[in-house]
């Protein structure tokens, strides 16, 4: 492809087919390929473009370089009735995430709550995918992950924490789940890369240059600001630290400041990323149906609140489910950079290219 289309959309089934084929050709076993595809397509359907289809080339590169084990032997050890540890064997973080959440839900079904720390893992995409997996089965779900340093400490000049996401999802009777998925930085690092690829200026108070000064130019960015920006970044920095403790200390992994960079250049050495997952059965806390009625009432009251002129009050997840409905109908968009990247993958792995929806 030499001339990207300004409006290129693909069906999720075609994107699923392409990703599965590419990952398999790059050395991922079926379970790993299915997990990555599930997570990336889920993120892209919901409009989380920074953690969706654009990440496929990176995972293929990491598989090719040997950083990631495409056919891991993941081992789970249940420590107590509601706790366990999953050794991900340097496999793809998506398989580790879904596997760990399955174990957490199994324990929650037995004793009301389940928590799993994961070690020897890798980047797992959007944290919300794993919290969502719990909510879709009737559980409250939480997911956390550390990453290599991209984010300044409050009033710091050099990166220390990763973007260290927090995800939470809750089942809503008769509706799509309540879903929160947020970085503890002002924006995720992938957002900077995404804006740079399409030549777009960043918002104010989200990123900084090599001197720790706020910058809106993606090519100048050397670090992200913690959530809250220059004035209130102590909040985001503290939340990033909380995620670090859950992800790396509970899993026995090194903290994010010592991790190898996600972007390389070393694509041969495993990074040892840590995650943490929690599943809770709401009926283990209150009588059956009490939680569902209370959440429905809360959301009804929330959405009924007056909004600023020209705006609308939304609950976490509302925007994502609207986007998902639209993209399931109209297709998932690929910007010009991803069109070129996917055309190159098709050529490299001899895969039938994506088909543009009419």
């Amino acid at each position: 492809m030499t001339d990207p289309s300004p409006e290129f959309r693909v069906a999720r089934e075609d994107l699923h087919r392409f990703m599965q084929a590419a990952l398999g050709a790059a050395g991922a076993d079926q379970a790993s390929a299915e997990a990555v595809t599930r997570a990336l397509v889920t993120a892209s359907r919901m409009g989380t473009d920074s953690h969706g289809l654009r990440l496929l080339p990176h995972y293929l590169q990491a598989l090719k370089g040997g950083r990631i084990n495409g056919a891991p032997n993941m081992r789970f050890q249940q420590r107590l009735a509601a706790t366990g540890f999953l050794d991900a064997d340097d496999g793809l973080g998506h398989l580790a995430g879904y596997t760990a959440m399955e174990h957490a839900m199994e324990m929650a079904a037995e004793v009301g709550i389940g928590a799993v720390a994961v070690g020897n893992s890798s980047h797992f995409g959007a944290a919300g995918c794993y919290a969502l997996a719990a909510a879709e089965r009737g559980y409250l779900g939480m997911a956390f992950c550390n990453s290599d340093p991209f984010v300044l400490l409050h009033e710091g000049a050099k990166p220390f924490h990763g973007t260290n996401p927090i995800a939470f999802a809750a089942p809503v009777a008769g509706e799509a789940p309540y879903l929160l998925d947020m970085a503890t930085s002002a924006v995720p690092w992938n957002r900077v890369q995404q804006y740079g690829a399409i030549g777009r200026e960043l918002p104010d108070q989200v990123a900084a240059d090599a001197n720790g000064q706020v910058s809106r130019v993606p090519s100048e960015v050397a670090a992200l600001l913690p959530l809250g920006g220059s004035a209130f970044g102590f909040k985001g920095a503290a939340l990033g630290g909380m995620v670090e403790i859950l992800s790396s200390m509970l899993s026995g992994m090194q903290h994010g400041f010592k991790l190898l960079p996600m972007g390389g250049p070393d694509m041969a050495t495993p990074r040892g990323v840590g995650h943490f997952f929690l599943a809770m059965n709401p009926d283990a806390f209150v009588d059956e149906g009490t939680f569902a009625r209370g959440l429905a009432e809360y959301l009804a009251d929330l959405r009924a609140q007056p909004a600023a002129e020209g705006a609308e009050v939304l609950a976490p997840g509302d925007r994502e489910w609207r986007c998902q409905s639209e993209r399931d109908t109209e297709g998932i968009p690929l910007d010009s950079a991803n069109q070129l990247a996917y055309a190159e993958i098709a050529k490299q792995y001899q895969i039938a290219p994506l088909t543009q929806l009419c």
Side-chain angles (χ1 to χ4, degrees), residues 119-211:
N120 298 313
S121 190
S122 61
H123 191 266
F124 71 0
C129 293
Y130 314 102
L132 180 61
E136 289 173 340
R137 297 262 292 276
Y139 297 94
L140 299 163
M142 299 190 75
F144 307 86
C145 180
N146 71 341
S147 66
D148 47 309
F150 292 120
V151 186
L152 302 180
L153 293 170
H154 182 54
E155 298 186 341
K158 297 294 181 182
F160 182 75
H161 285 142
T163 52
N164 292 16
I166 296 170
F168 170 77
V172 182
E175 299 181 24
Y178 178 105
L179 176 63
L180 165 70
D181 186 356
M182 54 170 275
T184 51
S185 55
V187 293
W189 183 259
N190 285 329
R191 188 69 51 81
V192 176
Q193 296 176 308
Q194 179 189 10
Y195 276 40
I198 61 177
R200 184 174 174 182
E201 188 178 59
L202 290 164
D204 192 21
Q205 293 294 315
V206 301
D209 62 21
N211 297 315

Side-chain angles (χ1 to χ4, degrees), residues 100-123:
M101 188 56 87
E102 281 291 330
H103 286 296
M105 288 188 287
E106 288 173 4
M107 291 186 288
E110 290 293 324
V111 296
I113 192 168
V116 177
V118 178
N120 298 313
S121 190
S122 61
H123 191 266

Side-chain angles (χ1 to χ4, degrees), residues 61-69 267-270:
Q61 184 184 14
L63 283 164
K64 182 179 179 181
R67 167 190 282 182
I68 292 177
N69 180 1
M267 283 291 173
T269 305

Side-chain angles (χ1 to χ4, degrees), residues 16 52 73 112 150 185 237 264 282 314:
H16 189 280
N73 178 25
F150 292 120
S185 55
L314 298 174

Side-chain angles (χ1 to χ4, degrees), residues 265-356:
D266 184 350
M267 283 291 173
T269 305
R271 297 173 68 224
V273 175
H275 318 301
F276 182 76
F277 302 91
L278 181 69
M280 294 176 282
N281 180 356
D283 294 337
F285 297 86
V286 289
D287 291 341
E288 184 176 354
T290 300
F291 171 82
R293 288 191 297 271
L295 182 54
E297 182 179 339
Y298 163 73
L299 292 174
D301 287 343
L302 184 155
R303 293 176 177 130
Q305 296 307 299
E309 184 176 355
E312 181 182 8
V313 173
L314 298 174
D318 286 351
R319 184 198 67 82
E320 286 80 1
W321 306 131
R322 289 182 183 180
C323 183
Q324 178 174 285
S325 178
E326 174 192 316
R327 290 186 173 188
D328 283 352
T329 301
E330 300 178 4
I332 297 170
L334 275 73
D335 61 29
S336 58
N338 283 311
Q339 290 176 50
L340 293 171
Y342 272 64
E344 180 59 32
I345 290 170
K347 179 180 178 181
Q348 179 180 357
Y349 292 104
Q350 299 183 330
I351 299 167
L354 293 171
T355 301
Q356 182 175 2

